[in-house]
Amino acid sequence: MRARARVLEQAAPVDPAHPEDPPIAVRSTGGRHTGGRHTARRWTGGRRGKAGGIERPWMDFRDLWTEALAGVLARPVRSALTTLGTVLGITTLVITIGVSATAGNQIVGRFDALTATSVTVTVPPPPPSADPVPLVDWSGVDAVRRVAGVESVAAIADSQATASVQVRANDVVSPGEVTGQTMAVVAASPTLPAAVRGRMTAGRFFDDGDITRHDRVAVLGDQAARLLGINSVQDSPAVFLKGQAYTVIGILGGAEREQQLSTAVILPPTTAEDQLGLAAVTRVLINTALGAAKQVAHQAPIALAPGAEDALAVTAPPDPTKARKGVQGDVNGLFLVLGLVSLMVGAIGIANVTLVTVMERIGEIGLRRALGASRRQVAGQFLVESTTIGLLGGVVGAVLGMVVVVAVSAIRDWTPVLDVRLAFGAPVAGALVGLLAGLYPSLRASRMEPVDALRS
């Protein structure tokens, strides 16, 4: 402690008028010498501002910090173990915030392009007494294709009646041999492969000529072809639906959208209407450019059914920002409890060790009180010690937490997202934990009477 704040270990007699006050202490005025002697002034404690009152010796914050730091470093092993609880709590909190922010950013950065660019328009079935004119015509696909941001579009027609149709690879029924399968039959526009992001694994898809001629041709999904035993279309195999033969001209595979089409039989719209009554469009599949889905979802119903766009149901991609917040919320909810529990354990550890330190230093507390230290000064010293331990734990925990976030991001090949506020907030949180944990031990130390403390 500096010379101007050094309290001389010299006690004056107790004031008879105020026996409850601690003895008076003599304090140096700053180390200035007058004739080889210190010029000293007497500080007394208790009643400041009254005639004949006394004032206690004072310690500024730097002296208090020096004393507290000395108390912490006097027992380095115990202080390190006490700090460990706060370190674990702060580290867990930093990891929670860092990993959740990084994961949310990663989802936005690598947001599934298929989901982010897929728009589906569902056409409700007309009521029985309605006008036979369909709400959405097959030609509406061309109108949607002209909307800015649309990359591909196709229309599909299906019904409950065609959801389960007996399909055979030949018209001969052989006992003991399965020659037929129950499959869905749908009608689609010629642009279906691009709309479902699929490819023709064999043959071709039907075109406008097939539709105009009402050709009885069919395209099988890859799973449907496997179930029917059709692997190639070179020999023009046929499938039989309700006793009618349809020439298989292609096999569609790898569909990323509408994956149920892999087990379906796909017919041209005119053929499906003639043979199975599939006339009304039920769904329109739209693929957009990245970032254009929201605008296309607003304009597509108008292009499909001008004046009746409110009757159509549009399914647009979710907002990536909401997805990120959802992930952050889930991760935060998972780890935040662990961080709070760790902080609580750290606070209990600091309170316990600070209380043990108070009991071990009863003699020192009694001596300080006998030399004139006030209750506030004694409590302040132990509060600063516990706060220092919490502050050190917050600094170490923040560093470790950021290192873990960076390491996890490197292992997962992510871009780490670290909030600069963590670097300052974590130590402050640790110091606050230490401050709260040291309240009770500090109050207990300040309530000790000098005589009782020295006697014990």
Side-chain angles (χ1 to χ4, degrees):
M1 187 179 298
R2 291 172 288 110
R4 70 180 180 84
R6 185 180 296 117
V7 178
L8 301 180
E9 296 182 3
Q10 175 181 353
V14 178
D15 187 356
H18 303 286
E20 71 280 2
D21 291 332
I24 301 170
V26 180
R27 181 180 182 279
S28 171
T29 60
R32 291 176 293 180
H33 293 272
T34 305
R37 301 184 341 179
H38 284 284
T39 301
R41 65 184 284 194
R42 195 176 71 163
W43 293 72
T44 58
R47 292 168 175 77
R48 186 183 301 273
K50 294 183 180 180
I54 57 177
E55 295 179 348
R56 296 186 184 276
W58 57 275
M59 295 176 64
D60 62 18
F61 180 75
R62 289 176 293 179
D63 297 323
L64 191 62
W65 169 259
T66 303
E67 289 292 327
L69 188 60
V72 173
L73 297 179
R75 302 169 180 83
V77 177
R78 177 186 294 180
S79 299
L81 294 177
T82 306
T83 307
L84 184 61
T86 307
V87 169
L88 294 177
I90 295 296
T91 300
T92 305
L93 288 179
V94 172
I95 292 175
T96 298
I97 299 174
V99 171
S100 63
T102 301
N105 184 74
Q106 191 67 20
I107 285 181
V108 174
R110 295 185 178 181
F111 194 73
D112 188 358
L114 173 63
T115 304
T117 59
S118 299
V119 176
T120 302
V121 179
T122 303
V123 183
S129 59
D131 191 340
V133 177
L135 185 61
V136 174
D137 191 274
W138 290 96
S139 61
V141 171
D142 297 329
V144 175
R145 189 180 293 112
R146 292 191 293 268
V147 175
V150 174
E151 294 186 345
S152 59
V153 58
I156 295 177
D158 55 14
S159 66
Q160 292 291 335
T162 61
S164 299
V165 178
Q166 189 71 17
V167 181
R168 295 180 177 275
N170 57 68
D171 200 27
V172 178
V173 179
S174 176
E177 181 180 353
V178 179
T179 59
Q181 300 286 341
T182 301
M183 299 179 181
V185 179
V186 300
S189 56
T191 54
L192 183 67
V196 297
R197 300 179 186 268
R199 67 186 188 280
M200 299 303 299
T201 59
R204 65 177 180 86
F205 206 79
F206 47 79
D207 54 21
D208 292 334
D210 297 315
I211 297 175
T212 303
R213 294 188 299 268
H214 295 237
D215 292 341
R216 286 198 299 184
V217 295
V219 174
L220 302 180
D222 53 354
Q223 295 298 322
R226 184 180 61 84
L227 293 174
L228 294 173
I230 299 175
N231 300 319
S232 174
V233 296
Q234 293 181 354
D235 299 331
S236 300
V239 292
F240 293 85
L241 308 176
K242 297 184 176 181
Q244 298 291 329
Y246 296 81
T247 303
V248 178
I249 61 174
I251 298 175
L252 176 64
E256 297 179 5
R257 294 185 64 181
E258 299 289 326
Q259 295 181 359
Q260 67 271 20
L261 294 178
S262 63
T263 57
V265 179
I266 308 168
L267 303 179
T270 53
T271 305
E273 182 178 3
D274 294 341
Q275 304 296 326
L276 302 174
L278 285 176
V281 175
T282 56
R283 293 192 308 281
V284 178
L285 309 179
I286 306 172
N287 293 317
T288 71
L290 193 62
K294 184 176 181 181
Q295 184 66 23
V296 171
H298 175 71
Q299 297 179 352
I302 301 175
L304 287 171
E309 61 272 10
D310 293 339
L312 304 181
V314 182
T315 303
D319 188 0
T321 302
K322 295 182 179 179
R324 174 169 56 187
K325 291 181 179 179
V327 171
Q328 289 179 349
D330 293 340
V331 177
N332 284 339
L334 178 63
F335 287 100
L336 190 59
V337 175
L338 298 178
L340 293 178
V341 170
S342 299
L343 275 181
M344 185 179 299
V345 172
I348 294 174
I350 293 176
N352 184 39
V353 173
T354 304
L355 184 59
V356 171
T357 302
V358 169
M359 302 307 296
E360 290 180 348
R361 297 164 65 181
I362 290 179
E364 176 187 340
I365 296 171
L367 181 59
R368 288 178 181 272
R369 295 280 285 126
L371 292 176
S374 66
R375 298 180 186 273
R376 182 179 299 177
Q377 291 168 351
V378 172
Q381 178 178 344
F382 285 100
L383 270 180
V384 172
E385 287 186 13
S386 63
T387 303
T388 302
I389 292 176
L391 178 63
L392 293 176
V395 172
V396 176
V399 174
L400 289 179
M402 292 183 180
V403 170
V404 171
V405 172
V406 173
V408 170
S409 301
I411 293 174
R412 301 292 299 174
D413 197 19
W414 292 350
T415 300
V417 177
L418 296 174
D419 194 340
V420 70
R421 292 174 293 182
L422 289 177
F424 302 98
V428 172
L432 182 61
V433 170
L435 178 65
L436 296 177
L439 284 177
Y440 173 71
S442 301
L443 291 176
R444 182 166 180 174
S446 66
R447 292 173 181 173
M448 290 184 181
E449 295 297 334
V451 176
D452 297 336
L454 289 174
R455 184 179 300 161
S456 62

